[in-house]
Amino acid sequence: MSGAPRPGERELAELVYREARLLDEQRYDEWLALLAEDARYWVPLAASETDPVASQSIAYEDRLLLEIRIRRLQSPKAYSMHPPPASRHVLQAPVMETLDHAANRYVTQTPFVYVEARGDEQITLAGTARHELRVEDGALRIALKRVDLLNAGAALPTIYLFL
Amino acid sequence: MKTYRSDPAAIGRLVEPDRVHRDLYLSEELFALEQERLFTRAWIFAGHASQVPKPGDYVTAEIAGRPLILVRHQDGALHVLMNRCAHKGTMIVTDRTGNVGRAFRCPYHSWAYRTDGTLLAVPNPAGYEGTGMAGCETGRGLVRVASAARRGFVFARLADDGPSFEDYFGPALAALDLAADRSPAGELEIAGAPLRSVIGCNWKVYLENVNDALHANVTHESAAIAAEAAWRGRGGGTPVPTALEQLLPFGSGTDFMEKMGGRVFANGHSYLGTSQSIHSGYAALPEYDAAMIAAYGEARAREILAWAPQNMILYPSVALKASPQTMRVIRPLGSDRTLVEAWAFRAKGAPAALLERTQLYNRMVFSPMSMVAHDDVHVFEAIQRGLNASGNEWVSLHRDFARAELGAAPFDSSGLNEVLMRNQFRAWAALMAAPEVH
């Protein structure tokens, strides 16, 4: 990832790709390091949702909850990790929605297919990931990752890892 | 081959006083009989009045495999109708919610029905003159089923005869009052859509777990330890954030769980946590408490706020919490597949923070991505597969069994007494009895 103070489209796309790769490789400490201190990870129940606090969500987590989630995944007592799930994010090229150097605000939209396998079962989900990014101490950080599943309101199977 | 349908006594033999046979969870035939008997005879949650505030508003639901519509009629009354055109059988509406105006209209041949189900019009009616259409089932329109409501919670009974709403729930009907009284206005409203999860287990595995206090600090140890470690890593201290206030008690010890207390009622209903629960320690919200005291007076308000059981079950479809204001609806899809809906309630007259607490709890504990539910789901699905093992065809429900509990309801117990589950299976056997031959 570039440390350029004025990231271009390439740097933004690289960050989105790297973020997905870190999740798929379960390199969670490095993933957490990509997040701003006030970052949020949001999986709304509908694409029309604008307020994560005033609505039901599949997930809406700050760093503390994300750290808890990761610690749990790494615990020998996390029974759902047996057999261990594995994920693959298949990303389309990110669309640059906002590239505002003056406001230090960068937004990308990335359509994706998410596959999660566990034992003999495999699920496939699709959606769009929206990354709101900013430069902090010379590096791009994620302020918000919002994941809109195509079928967020449907009866969903268990999703063990991170979309 | 003998079947459970041809041998009614065999169903009774599956439920012993202190254990049940694995066929309750595995048998496809029993699942079909449950759809035919248990889920038509019992009063099942159909929807909440707050989902359909205006005439013509409707929500759809499925009970015992039957497609249903809960709709508000022009006169304000609520009706539960079969979602099936009287003509060819088309589902009349296919959205989960909507407003139909004054009449339902079938997309196939434009038959129209009033929102009480009666037939309003058919196109080119001359073609039916002199036929038997008007005098048979078709002429009666959309089939209306028995429904009843309390504090906005609407239940339906599909069978033509059976216990009344009041007789079926008995004193457990107070669960709905205990939940609704949490609102300063005495009214709960559904807030948004439910979180919906499909789990690969029989619905009874899920429902008995709702009353299983003993699993919490085993199954959820990883979540409780992770929460504690993450908080300690940040310096710890008090007050803890609301998320931790909700997560940490999952690690409560067996002694705490035993002292929670339980109460079972006739027909499978129950309260777990009659004296305390993992929800008892939530910090007071001063603005909310003030609104409650203004509405009910100090003494009554404190009494309402102190009631925070783990779960109140209205067998077999509802698991309700008074605090946080959340409800799970259990909807069986197959012998090994269950849909669980987690709904959030807004307590009318309460500050927004109360609803935020409910929504936080739902997404942390009941979401398809929940770090708490993941270990539950793992166990439920492992039970569904494990029961296929041979050498032991029985599921143990022996803990604290005592003859005195038989036929005694309401019956008070400790929080760990498996009477909380035995009581569900006794209701199951009664609701599964073969129909009387007239």
Side-chain angles (χ1 to χ4, degrees), chain A residues 99-138:
Chain A
L99 235 144
D100 187 340
H101 298 301
N104 189 15
R105 187 164 182 274
Y106 307 92
V107 181
T108 63
Q109 301 256 23
T110 311
F112 69 87
V113 171
Y114 175 82
V115 182
E116 191 177 279
R118 181 175 179 262
D120 292 334
E121 306 292 327
Q122 181 167 294
I123 62 165
T124 305
L125 298 165
T128 301
R130 176 188 164 92
H131 290 77
E132 296 191 11
L133 309 162
R134 62 174 176 248
V135 176
E136 275 181 9
D137 302 326

Side-chain angles (χ1 to χ4, degrees), chain B residues 104-119:
Chain B
F104 291 105
R105 193 171 299 278
C106 180
Y108 198 10
H109 302 95
S110 203
W111 285 39
Y113 305 89
R114 296 177 192 88
T115 42
D116 62 358
T118 53
L119 187 56

Side-chain angles (χ1 to χ4, degrees), chain B residues 238-418:
Chain B
T238 51
V240 299
T242 309
L244 287 183
E245 189 179 75
Q246 295 184 343
L247 284 177
L248 292 173
F250 279 91
S252 301
T254 306
D255 187 53
F256 178 89
M257 298 298 189
E258 178 151 36
K259 289 183 179 134
M260 278 170 50
R263 183 173 306 150
V264 299
F265 302 92
N267 297 325
H269 319 303
S270 60
Y271 302 159
L272 170 62
T274 47
S275 50
Q276 60 182 7
S277 81
I278 67 168
H279 309 304
S280 304
Y282 294 172
L285 301 169
E287 195 191 332
Y288 170 54
D289 288 7
M292 288 292 285
I293 290 165
Y296 294 100
E298 175 91 29
R300 177 67 189 135
R302 295 286 164 216
E303 194 179 30
I304 294 167
L305 294 172
W307 178 256
Q310 189 73 18
N311 285 298
M312 300 183 284
I313 290 180
L314 294 173
Y315 187 83
S317 65
V318 167
L320 187 63
K321 292 181 192 287
S323 168
Q325 288 70 35
T326 178
M327 170 179 67
R328 278 170 289 171
V329 179
I330 291 94
R331 301 205 182 271
L333 301 176
S335 65
D336 59 356
R337 256 162 62 86
T338 300
L339 168 62
V340 178
E341 301 168 347
W343 295 87
F345 287 108
R346 179 185 296 107
K348 234 177 155 175
L354 199 68
L355 176 58
E356 288 166 18
R357 193 145 88 174
T358 297
Q359 288 164 336
L360 172 65
Y361 190 86
N362 274 0
R363 63 182 180 258
M364 284 201 307
V365 182
F366 298 141
S367 153
M369 290 187 77
S370 158
M371 60 180 124
V372 176
H374 282 174
D375 288 317
D376 280 325
V377 170
H378 170 81
V379 167
F380 301 163
E381 295 182 348
I383 288 172
Q384 197 65 33
R385 292 169 65 193
L387 286 174
N388 289 295
S390 51
N392 178 4
E393 298 188 352
W394 295 88
V395 172
S396 167
L397 300 166
H398 295 90
R399 181 178 286 276
D400 295 323
F401 171 70
R403 292 266 155 206
E405 76 190 39
L406 294 170
F411 180 85
D412 287 317
S413 74
S414 89
L416 300 183
N417 191 326
E418 286 179 341

